[in-house]
Each structure stands twice: as structure tokens, then as C-alpha cells.
Coordinates of all heavy atoms in Angstrom, one line a residue:
M1 N 88.8 130.0 109.9 CA 88.5 130.2 111.3 C 89.8 130.4 112.0 O 90.8 129.7 111.8 CB 87.7 129.1 111.9 CG 87.3 129.4 113.4 SD 86.1 128.3 114.1 CE 84.7 128.8 113.1
T2 N 89.9 131.4 112.9 CA 91.1 131.7 113.7 C 90.8 131.4 115.2 O 89.7 131.8 115.7 CB 91.5 133.1 113.5 OG1 91.7 133.4 112.2 CG2 92.7 133.4 114.3
I3 N 91.7 130.7 115.9 CA 91.6 130.5 117.3 C 92.6 131.3 118.0 O 93.8 131.3 117.6 CB 91.8 129.0 117.7 CG1 90.9 128.1 116.8 CG2 91.6 128.8 119.2 CD1 89.4 128.2 117.1
R4 N 92.2 132.0 119.0 CA 93.2 132.9 119.7 C 92.8 133.0 121.2 O 91.7 132.5 121.6 CB 93.2 134.3 119.1 CG 91.9 135.0 119.2 CD 92.0 136.5 118.8 NE 90.8 137.1 118.7 CZ 90.1 137.6 119.8 NH1 90.5 137.4 121.0 NH2 88.9 138.2 119.6
Q5 N 93.7 133.5 122.0 CA 93.4 133.6 123.4 C 92.4 134.7 123.7 O 92.3 135.7 123.0 CB 94.7 134.0 124.1 CG 94.8 133.7 125.6 CD 96.2 133.8 126.1 OE1 97.1 133.4 125.5 NE2 96.3 134.2 127.3
L6 N 91.5 134.5 124.7 CA 90.6 135.5 125.1 C 91.3 136.8 125.5 O 92.2 136.7 126.3 CB 89.7 134.9 126.3 CG 88.7 135.9 126.9 CD1 87.5 136.1 126.0 CD2 88.2 135.3 128.2
A7 N 90.8 137.9 125.1 CA 91.3 139.2 125.4 C 90.3 140.0 126.3 O 89.1 139.7 126.2 CB 91.7 140.0 124.2
D8 N 90.8 140.9 127.1 CA 89.8 141.7 127.9 C 88.8 142.4 127.0 O 87.6 142.5 127.4 CB 90.6 142.8 128.7 CG 91.4 142.2 129.8 OD1 91.1 141.1 130.3 OD2 92.3 142.8 130.3
S9 N 89.2 142.8 125.8 CA 88.3 143.5 124.9 C 87.2 142.6 124.4 O 86.2 143.1 123.8 CB 89.1 144.1 123.8 OG 89.7 143.1 123.0
D10 N 87.3 141.3 124.6 CA 86.3 140.3 124.1 C 85.1 140.2 125.0 O 84.1 139.5 124.7 CB 86.9 138.9 123.9 CG 87.9 138.9 122.8 OD1 87.7 139.5 121.8 OD2 89.0 138.2 123.0
M11 N 85.2 140.6 126.3 CA 84.3 140.3 127.3 C 82.8 140.6 126.9 O 82.0 139.7 127.1 CB 84.6 140.9 128.6 CG 86.0 140.4 129.2 SD 86.2 138.6 129.1 CE 84.9 138.1 130.1
D12 N 82.5 141.7 126.4 CA 81.1 142.1 126.1 C 80.6 141.2 125.0 O 79.5 140.7 125.1 CB 81.0 143.5 125.7 CG 81.2 144.5 126.9 OD1 81.1 144.1 128.0 OD2 81.5 145.7 126.6
V13 N 81.4 140.9 124.0 CA 81.0 140.1 122.9 C 80.8 138.7 123.3 O 79.8 138.0 122.9 CB 82.0 140.2 121.7 CG1 81.7 139.3 120.6 CG2 82.1 141.6 121.2
V14 N 81.7 138.2 124.1 CA 81.7 136.8 124.5 C 80.5 136.6 125.5 O 79.8 135.6 125.4 CB 83.0 136.3 125.2 CG1 82.9 135.0 125.9 CG2 84.1 136.2 124.1
L15 N 80.2 137.5 126.3 CA 79.1 137.4 127.2 C 77.8 137.4 126.4 O 76.9 136.6 126.7 CB 79.0 138.6 128.2 CG 77.8 138.6 129.2 CD1 77.7 137.3 130.0 CD2 77.9 139.8 130.1
A16 N 77.7 138.3 125.4 CA 76.5 138.3 124.6 C 76.3 137.0 123.8 O 75.2 136.5 123.7 CB 76.5 139.5 123.6
L17 N 77.4 136.4 123.3 CA 77.4 135.2 122.7 C 76.9 134.1 123.6 O 76.1 133.2 123.3 CB 78.8 134.8 122.2 CG 79.0 133.4 121.6 CD1 78.3 133.2 120.3 CD2 80.5 133.1 121.5
W18 N 77.4 134.1 124.9 CA 77.0 133.1 125.9 C 75.5 133.2 126.0 O 74.8 132.2 126.0 CB 77.7 133.3 127.2 CG 77.2 132.4 128.2 CD1 76.1 132.6 129.1 CD2 77.5 131.0 128.5 NE1 75.9 131.5 129.9 CE2 76.7 130.5 129.5 CE3 78.5 130.2 127.9 CZ2 76.9 129.2 130.0 CZ3 78.6 128.9 128.4 CH2 77.8 128.4 129.4
N19 N 75.0 134.4 126.2 CA 73.6 134.6 126.5 C 72.7 134.2 125.3 O 71.5 133.8 125.5 CB 73.3 136.0 127.0 CG 73.8 136.2 128.4 OD1 73.8 135.2 129.2 ND2 74.2 137.4 128.8
R20 N 73.2 134.3 124.1 CA 72.4 133.9 122.9 C 72.4 132.4 122.8 O 71.5 131.8 122.3 CB 73.0 134.5 121.6 CG 72.6 135.9 121.3 CD 73.0 136.3 119.9 NE 74.3 135.9 119.4 CZ 75.4 136.6 119.6 NH1 75.4 137.7 120.3 NH2 76.5 136.1 119.1
S21 N 73.5 131.7 123.2 CA 73.7 130.3 123.0 C 73.2 129.5 124.2 O 72.8 128.3 124.0 CB 75.1 129.9 122.6 OG 76.0 130.2 123.7
A22 N 73.2 130.1 125.4 CA 72.8 129.3 126.6 C 71.6 130.0 127.2 O 71.6 130.6 128.3 CB 73.9 129.3 127.6
T23 N 70.5 130.0 126.4 CA 69.3 130.8 126.8 C 68.7 130.3 128.1 O 68.0 131.1 128.7 CB 68.2 130.7 125.7 OG1 67.9 129.3 125.4 CG2 68.7 131.4 124.4
L24 N 68.9 129.1 128.5 CA 68.4 128.6 129.8 C 69.3 128.9 130.9 O 69.0 128.6 132.1 CB 68.0 127.1 129.7 CG 67.0 126.8 128.7 CD1 66.7 125.3 128.6 CD2 65.7 127.5 128.9
D25 N 70.5 129.4 130.7 CA 71.5 129.7 131.7 C 72.2 131.0 131.5 O 73.4 131.1 131.3 CB 72.5 128.5 131.7 CG 73.4 128.5 132.9 OD1 73.1 129.2 133.9 OD2 74.5 127.9 132.9
P26 N 71.5 132.1 131.4 CA 72.1 133.4 131.1 C 72.9 133.9 132.2 O 72.8 133.5 133.4 CB 70.9 134.3 130.9 CG 69.8 133.7 131.7 CD 70.0 132.2 131.6
M27 N 73.9 134.8 131.9 CA 74.8 135.3 132.9 C 74.8 136.8 132.8 O 74.8 137.4 131.7 CB 76.2 134.8 132.7 CG 76.4 133.4 133.1 SD 78.2 133.0 133.3 CE 78.3 131.7 132.1
T28 N 74.9 137.5 134.0 CA 75.2 138.9 134.0 C 76.7 139.1 133.9 O 77.5 138.1 134.0 CB 74.8 139.4 135.4 OG1 75.6 138.8 136.4 CG2 73.3 139.2 135.7
P29 N 77.1 140.3 133.6 CA 78.6 140.6 133.5 C 79.3 140.1 134.8 O 80.4 139.6 134.7 CB 78.7 142.1 133.3 CG 77.4 142.4 132.6 CD 76.4 141.5 133.2
E30 N 78.7 140.4 135.9 CA 79.4 140.0 137.2 C 79.5 138.5 137.3 O 80.6 138.0 137.8 CB 78.6 140.6 138.4 CG 78.5 142.1 138.4 CD 77.5 142.7 137.4 OE1 76.6 142.0 136.9 OE2 77.6 143.9 137.1
L31 N 78.5 137.8 137.0 CA 78.5 136.3 137.1 C 79.5 135.7 136.1 O 80.3 134.8 136.4 CB 77.1 135.7 136.9 CG 77.1 134.2 137.0 CD1 77.5 133.7 138.4 CD2 75.6 133.7 136.8
F32 N 79.5 136.3 134.9 CA 80.5 135.8 133.9 C 81.9 136.0 134.4 O 82.8 135.1 134.3 CB 80.3 136.5 132.6 CG 81.0 135.9 131.4 CD1 80.6 134.7 130.8 CD2 82.2 136.5 131.0 CE1 81.3 134.2 129.8 CE2 82.9 136.0 129.9 CZ 82.4 134.8 129.3
E33 N 82.2 137.2 134.9 CA 83.5 137.5 135.5 C 83.9 136.5 136.6 O 85.0 136.0 136.7 CB 83.7 138.9 136.0 CG 85.1 139.3 136.4 CD 85.3 140.7 136.6 OE1 84.7 141.6 135.8 OE2 86.0 141.1 137.5
E34 N 82.9 136.2 137.5 CA 83.1 135.3 138.5 C 83.4 133.9 138.0 O 84.4 133.2 138.5 CB 81.9 135.2 139.4 CG 82.0 134.2 140.5 CD 80.6 134.1 141.3 OE1 80.0 135.1 141.5 OE2 80.3 132.9 141.6
K35 N 82.7 133.4 137.0 CA 82.9 132.1 136.5 C 84.2 132.0 135.7 O 84.8 130.9 135.7 CB 81.7 131.7 135.5 CG 80.4 131.6 136.1 CD 80.3 130.4 136.9 CE 78.9 130.2 137.5 NZ 78.8 129.1 138.5
V36 N 84.6 133.0 135.1 CA 85.9 133.0 134.3 C 87.1 133.4 135.1 O 87.9 132.6 135.5 CB 85.7 133.8 133.0 CG1 87.0 133.8 132.2 CG2 84.6 133.3 132.1
F37 N 87.2 134.7 135.4 CA 88.4 135.2 136.0 C 88.6 134.9 137.5 O 89.7 134.9 138.0 CB 88.5 136.7 135.7 CG 88.6 137.0 134.3 CD1 87.5 137.6 133.6 CD2 89.7 136.6 133.5 CE1 87.6 137.9 132.3 CE2 89.8 136.9 132.2 CZ 88.7 137.5 131.5
D38 N 87.5 134.8 138.2 CA 87.6 134.5 139.6 C 87.7 133.1 140.0 O 87.9 132.7 141.2 CB 86.3 135.1 140.4 CG 86.3 136.7 140.3 OD1 87.3 137.3 139.9 OD2 85.2 137.2 140.6
D39 N 87.7 132.2 139.0 CA 87.9 130.8 139.3 C 89.4 130.6 139.7 O 90.3 131.1 139.0 CB 87.6 130.0 138.0 CG 87.6 128.5 138.3 OD1 88.7 127.9 138.8 OD2 86.6 127.8 138.1
P40 N 89.6 130.0 140.8 CA 91.0 129.8 141.3 C 91.9 129.1 140.4 O 93.1 129.2 140.4 CB 90.9 129.1 142.7 CG 89.6 128.5 142.6 CD 88.7 129.3 141.7
D41 N 91.3 128.3 139.5 CA 92.1 127.5 138.5 C 92.2 128.1 137.1 O 92.6 127.5 136.2 CB 91.6 126.1 138.4 CG 91.7 125.3 139.8 OD1 92.8 125.4 140.4 OD2 90.7 124.7 140.2
F42 N 91.7 129.4 137.0 CA 91.7 130.0 135.7 C 93.1 130.1 135.1 O 94.1 130.5 135.9 CB 91.1 131.4 135.8 CG 91.3 132.2 134.5 CD1 90.4 132.0 133.5 CD2 92.2 133.2 134.4 CE1 90.6 132.7 132.3 CE2 92.4 133.9 133.2 CZ 91.5 133.7 132.2
R43 N 93.3 129.8 133.9 CA 94.5 129.9 133.2 C 94.2 130.6 131.8 O 93.4 130.1 131.0 CB 95.2 128.6 132.9 CG 95.6 127.9 134.3 CD 96.2 126.6 134.1 NE 97.6 126.8 133.6 CZ 98.4 125.8 133.4 NH1 98.1 124.6 133.6 NH2 99.6 126.0 132.9
A44 N 94.8 131.8 131.6 CA 94.5 132.5 130.4 C 94.7 131.7 129.1 O 93.9 131.9 128.2 CB 95.3 133.8 130.4
E45 N 95.7 130.9 129.1 CA 96.0 130.1 127.9 C 94.9 129.1 127.6 O 94.9 128.5 126.5 CB 97.4 129.5 127.9 CG 97.6 128.5 129.0 CD 98.1 129.1 130.4 OE1 97.9 130.3 130.6 OE2 98.6 128.3 131.2
W46 N 94.0 128.8 128.5 CA 93.0 127.8 128.3 C 91.6 128.5 128.0 O 90.6 127.8 128.0 CB 92.9 126.9 129.4 CG 94.0 125.9 129.5 CD1 95.1 125.9 128.7 CD2 94.3 125.0 130.6 NE1 96.0 124.9 129.1 CE2 95.5 124.4 130.3 CE3 93.6 124.6 131.7 CZ2 96.1 123.4 131.1 CZ3 94.2 123.6 132.5 CH2 95.4 123.0 132.2
A47 N 91.6 129.8 127.9 CA 90.4 130.5 127.6 C 90.5 131.1 126.1 O 91.4 131.9 125.9 CB 90.1 131.7 128.5
L48 N 89.8 130.5 125.2 CA 90.0 130.7 123.8 C 88.8 131.2 123.1 O 87.7 130.9 123.5 CB 90.5 129.4 123.1 CG 91.7 128.7 123.7 CD1 91.9 127.4 123.0 CD2 92.9 129.6 123.6
V49 N 89.0 132.0 122.1 CA 87.9 132.6 121.2 C 88.1 132.1 119.8 O 89.3 132.0 119.3 CB 88.0 134.1 121.3 CG1 87.1 134.7 120.2 CG2 87.6 134.6 122.7
A50 N 87.1 131.7 119.1 CA 87.1 131.4 117.7 C 86.5 132.5 117.0 O 85.5 133.0 117.3 CB 86.3 130.1 117.4
E51 N 87.2 133.0 115.9 CA 86.8 134.1 115.1 C 86.6 133.5 113.7 O 87.4 132.8 113.2 CB 87.8 135.2 115.0 CG 87.8 136.0 116.2 CD 88.8 137.2 116.1 OE1 89.8 137.1 115.4 OE2 88.4 138.3 116.6
E52 N 85.5 134.0 113.1 CA 85.2 133.7 111.7 C 84.8 135.0 111.0 O 83.9 135.6 111.4 CB 84.1 132.6 111.5 CG 84.0 132.2 110.1 CD 83.1 131.0 109.9 OE1 83.6 129.9 110.3 OE2 82.0 131.1 109.4
Q53 N 85.6 135.3 109.9 CA 85.3 136.5 109.1 C 85.3 137.7 110.0 O 84.4 138.6 109.9 CB 84.0 136.4 108.3 CG 84.1 135.2 107.3 CD 82.9 135.1 106.5 OE1 81.8 135.6 106.9 NE2 83.0 134.3 105.5
G54 N 86.2 137.8 111.0 CA 86.3 139.0 111.8 C 85.4 139.1 113.0 O 85.4 140.1 113.7
R55 N 84.5 138.1 113.2 CA 83.6 138.2 114.3 C 83.7 136.9 115.2 O 84.1 135.9 114.7 CB 82.2 138.4 113.9 CG 81.6 137.3 113.1 CD 80.1 137.7 112.8 NE 79.2 136.9 113.6 CZ 78.2 136.3 113.1 NH1 77.9 136.3 111.8 NH2 77.4 135.6 113.9
V56 N 83.4 137.1 116.5 CA 83.6 136.0 117.4 C 82.5 135.0 117.1 O 81.3 135.3 117.1 CB 83.4 136.5 118.9 CG1 83.4 135.4 119.9 CG2 84.6 137.4 119.2
A57 N 82.9 133.7 116.9 CA 82.0 132.7 116.6 C 81.8 131.7 117.7 O 80.9 130.9 117.8 CB 82.5 131.9 115.3
G58 N 82.8 131.7 118.6 CA 82.7 130.7 119.7 C 83.7 131.1 120.8 O 84.6 131.9 120.7
F59 N 83.5 130.4 122.0 CA 84.3 130.6 123.2 C 84.4 129.3 123.9 O 83.4 128.6 124.0 CB 83.7 131.7 124.1 CG 84.2 131.7 125.5 CD1 85.4 132.3 125.7 CD2 83.4 131.3 126.5 CE1 85.9 132.3 127.0 CE2 83.9 131.3 127.8 CZ 85.2 131.8 128.1
I60 N 85.6 129.0 124.4 CA 85.8 127.8 125.3 C 86.7 128.2 126.4 O 87.7 128.9 126.2 CB 86.3 126.6 124.4 CG1 86.3 125.3 125.3 CG2 87.7 126.9 123.9 CD1 86.5 124.1 124.4
M61 N 86.4 127.6 127.6 CA 87.3 127.8 128.7 C 87.5 126.4 129.4 O 86.6 125.7 129.7 CB 86.7 128.7 129.8 CG 87.5 128.9 131.0 SD 86.6 129.8 132.2 CE 87.7 129.6 133.6
G62 N 88.8 126.0 129.4 CA 89.2 124.7 130.0 C 89.8 125.0 131.4 O 90.3 126.1 131.7
L63 N 89.8 124.0 132.2 CA 90.4 124.0 133.6 C 91.0 122.7 133.9 O 90.7 121.7 133.3 CB 89.3 124.3 134.6 CG 88.6 125.6 134.7 CD1 87.5 125.6 135.8 CD2 89.6 126.7 135.0
A64 N 91.9 122.7 134.8 CA 92.5 121.5 135.4 C 92.4 121.7 136.9 O 92.8 122.7 137.5 CB 93.9 121.3 135.0
R65 N 91.8 120.7 137.5 CA 91.6 120.7 139.0 C 92.2 119.4 139.6 O 92.2 118.4 139.0 CB 90.1 120.8 139.4 CG 89.5 122.1 138.9 CD 88.2 122.3 139.8 NE 87.3 123.1 139.1 CZ 87.2 124.5 139.3 NH1 87.9 125.0 140.1 NH2 86.3 125.2 138.6
N66 N 92.6 119.6 140.8 CA 93.1 118.4 141.6 C 91.9 117.7 142.3 O 91.1 118.4 143.0 CB 94.1 118.8 142.6 CG 95.4 119.3 142.0 OD1 95.8 118.8 141.0 ND2 95.9 120.4 142.5
F67 N 91.7 116.4 142.0 CA 90.8 115.6 142.7 C 91.5 114.4 143.3 O 92.1 113.6 142.6 CB 89.7 115.1 141.7 CG 88.8 116.1 141.2 CD1 88.9 116.7 140.0 CD2 87.7 116.6 142.0 CE1 88.1 117.7 139.5 CE2 86.8 117.5 141.6 CZ 87.0 118.1 140.4
D68 N 91.5 114.4 144.6 CA 92.3 113.4 145.3 C 93.7 113.6 144.9 O 94.3 114.6 145.1 CB 91.8 112.0 145.1 CG 90.3 111.8 145.6 OD1 90.0 112.4 146.7 OD2 89.5 111.1 145.0
D69 N 94.3 112.6 144.3 CA 95.7 112.7 143.9 C 95.9 112.9 142.4 O 97.0 112.8 141.8 CB 96.5 111.4 144.3 CG 96.7 111.3 145.8 OD1 96.7 112.4 146.5 OD2 96.7 110.2 146.3
D70 N 94.7 113.1 141.7 CA 94.8 113.2 140.3 C 94.4 114.6 139.8 O 93.6 115.3 140.4 CB 93.7 112.3 139.6 CG 94.0 110.8 139.8 OD1 95.2 110.5 139.8 OD2 93.1 110.0 140.0
K71 N 95.1 115.1 138.8 CA 94.7 116.3 138.1 C 93.8 116.0 137.0 O 94.1 115.1 136.1 CB 95.9 117.0 137.6 CG 95.6 118.4 137.1 CD 96.9 119.3 137.0 CE 96.7 120.3 138.1 NZ 97.6 121.3 138.3
V72 N 92.6 116.6 136.9 CA 91.6 116.3 135.9 C 91.3 117.6 135.1 O 91.1 118.6 135.7 CB 90.3 115.8 136.6 CG1 89.2 115.6 135.6 CG2 90.6 114.6 137.4
G73 N 91.4 117.4 133.8 CA 91.0 118.5 132.9 C 89.6 118.4 132.4 O 89.1 117.3 132.2
F74 N 89.0 119.6 132.2 CA 87.6 119.6 131.7 C 87.3 120.9 131.1 O 88.0 121.9 131.3 CB 86.6 119.2 132.8 CG 86.5 120.1 133.9 CD1 85.5 121.1 134.0 CD2 87.3 120.0 135.0 CE1 85.4 122.0 135.0 CE2 87.2 120.8 136.1 CZ 86.3 121.8 136.1
I75 N 86.2 120.9 130.3 CA 85.7 122.2 129.8 C 84.7 122.7 130.7 O 83.7 122.1 131.0 CB 85.1 121.9 128.4 CG1 86.2 121.4 127.4 CG2 84.4 123.2 127.8 CD1 85.7 120.9 126.1
K76 N 84.9 124.0 131.2 CA 84.0 124.6 132.1 C 82.9 125.4 131.3 O 81.7 125.3 131.7 CB 84.7 125.6 133.0 CG 83.8 126.3 134.0 CD 84.6 127.1 135.0 CE 83.7 127.8 136.0 NZ 84.4 128.5 137.0
L77 N 83.3 126.1 130.3 CA 82.3 126.9 129.5 C 82.6 126.7 128.1 O 83.7 126.7 127.6 CB 82.5 128.4 129.9 CG 82.2 128.9 131.3 CD1 82.6 130.3 131.5 CD2 80.7 128.6 131.6
L78 N 81.5 126.6 127.3 CA 81.6 126.4 125.8 C 80.4 127.1 125.2 O 79.3 126.8 125.6 CB 81.7 124.9 125.5 CG 81.5 124.6 124.0 CD1 82.8 125.1 123.2 CD2 81.4 123.1 123.8
A79 N 80.6 128.0 124.3 CA 79.5 128.6 123.6 C 79.9 128.8 122.1 O 81.0 129.1 121.8 CB 79.2 130.0 124.2
V80 N 78.9 128.5 121.2 CA 79.0 128.7 119.8 C 77.8 129.5 119.3 O 76.7 129.3 119.7 CB 79.0 127.3 119.1 CG1 79.0 127.5 117.6 CG2 80.2 126.5 119.5
D81 N 78.1 130.5 118.5 CA 77.1 131.4 117.9 C 76.0 130.5 117.3 O 76.2 129.7 116.4 CB 77.7 132.3 116.9 CG 76.7 133.4 116.4 OD1 75.5 133.2 116.5 OD2 77.2 134.4 115.9
P82 N 74.8 130.6 117.8 CA 73.7 129.8 117.2 C 73.5 130.0 115.7 O 73.0 129.1 115.1 CB 72.4 130.3 118.0 CG 73.0 130.9 119.3 CD 74.3 131.5 118.9
A83 N 73.8 131.2 115.2 CA 73.7 131.4 113.8 C 74.6 130.5 113.0 O 74.4 130.3 111.8 CB 74.0 132.9 113.4
L84 N 75.7 129.9 113.6 CA 76.6 129.1 112.9 C 76.4 127.6 113.2 O 77.1 126.7 112.7 CB 78.0 129.4 113.4 CG 78.4 130.9 113.1 CD1 79.8 131.1 113.7 CD2 78.4 131.1 111.6
H85 N 75.4 127.2 114.0 CA 75.1 125.8 114.2 C 74.7 125.1 112.9 O 73.9 125.7 112.1 CB 73.9 125.7 115.2 CG 74.3 126.1 116.6 ND1 73.4 125.8 117.7 CD2 75.4 126.6 117.1 CE1 74.0 126.3 118.8 NE2 75.1 126.8 118.5
G86 N 75.3 124.0 112.7 CA 74.9 123.2 111.5 C 75.6 123.6 110.3 O 75.4 122.9 109.2
R87 N 76.5 124.5 110.3 CA 77.2 124.9 109.1 C 78.2 123.8 108.8 O 78.9 123.3 109.7 CB 78.0 126.2 109.3 CG 77.0 127.4 109.2 CD 77.7 128.7 109.1 NE 78.7 128.6 108.0 CZ 79.7 129.5 107.9 NH1 79.8 130.5 108.7 NH2 80.6 129.4 106.9
R88 N 78.4 123.6 107.5 CA 79.4 122.6 107.1 C 80.7 123.3 106.8 O 80.7 124.4 106.3 CB 78.9 121.9 105.8 CG 77.7 121.2 106.1 CD 77.3 120.5 104.8 NE 77.1 119.1 105.2 CZ 77.2 118.1 104.3 NH1 77.3 118.3 103.0 NH2 77.0 116.9 104.7
R89 N 81.8 122.6 107.2 CA 83.1 123.1 106.9 C 83.4 123.1 105.4 O 82.9 122.3 104.7 CB 84.2 122.3 107.6 CG 84.2 122.5 109.1 CD 85.3 121.7 109.7 NE 86.5 122.2 109.1 CZ 87.5 122.8 109.7 NH1 87.3 123.0 111.0 NH2 88.6 123.2 109.2
R90 N 84.3 124.0 104.9 CA 84.7 124.0 103.6 C 86.2 123.9 103.6 O 86.9 124.4 104.5 CB 84.2 125.2 102.8 CG 82.8 125.3 102.7 CD 82.4 126.5 101.9 NE 80.9 126.5 101.8 CZ 80.2 127.6 101.6 NH1 80.8 128.8 101.4 NH2 78.9 127.6 101.6
G91 N 86.8 123.3 102.6 CA 88.2 123.2 102.5 C 88.8 121.8 102.6 O 88.0 120.8 102.8
P92 N 90.1 121.7 102.6 CA 90.7 120.3 102.6 C 90.4 119.5 103.8 O 90.4 118.3 103.8 CB 92.2 120.6 102.5 CG 92.3 122.0 102.9 CD 91.0 122.7 102.6
R93 N 90.1 120.1 105.0 CA 89.9 119.3 106.2 C 88.4 119.0 106.4 O 88.0 118.5 107.4 CB 90.4 120.0 107.4 CG 92.0 120.1 107.4 CD 92.5 120.8 108.6 NE 92.1 122.2 108.6 CZ 92.2 123.0 109.7 NH1 92.6 122.5 110.8 NH2 91.9 124.2 109.6
S94 N 87.6 119.3 105.5 CA 86.1 119.0 105.6 C 85.7 117.6 105.4 O 84.6 117.3 105.6 CB 85.4 120.0 104.7 OG 85.6 119.7 103.4
R95 N 86.6 116.8 104.9 CA 86.2 115.4 104.6 C 86.3 114.5 105.7 O 87.1 114.4 106.5 CB 87.1 114.9 103.4 CG 86.9 115.7 102.2 CD 87.7 115.2 101.0 NE 87.4 116.1 99.9 CZ 88.4 116.8 99.4 NH1 89.6 116.6 99.7 NH2 88.1 117.6 98.4

């Protein structure tokens, strides 16, 4: 599996992935753009895509916001391809 930064060319695939994995919270392209790129705390380096065998397998977007005098980090969006749920890892790190 490869983890890389979200690219503009990923948007259609990531939105489709979101809508397959979050069936009770679907998004339009406009809403997805608002949630990701229009967030005032958006940082491109915290929007990541996981690829497996050349296809997008997951997406995560993290943020850091100021609350009172503290900066708090959290995951805003997370989606994993439902077809990959429950798969077991293979390789040396699977133990």
C-alpha cells in the first residue's frame, strides 16, 4: 500500500469512495469541495490517499484548530473502500 498526498486528479475517485463508504452521509462534488478545500484550516499535507494495486483504497483528512489557547488536531474525514473492509495484512508487519 502506498500513502501519498491528495491530488486534484483524485477528486472524482475520492468523492465516489466517500459516497460508497459513507452511505448515510453522501456528498455532492460541491459539498465535498466545501468540506475539504474551503475549510479555513485545510493543509494539503494532511489530506492523504492510500493506494493499493494502483487504485484508491482510502482517504483521510486531518486538521488542527485553535480552541481557547490550545491547538487541537483531529481527523475530519476518513473513508476506506468497503470492498477492502476486513482484509488481513500480509507481510512482515502483519503480526
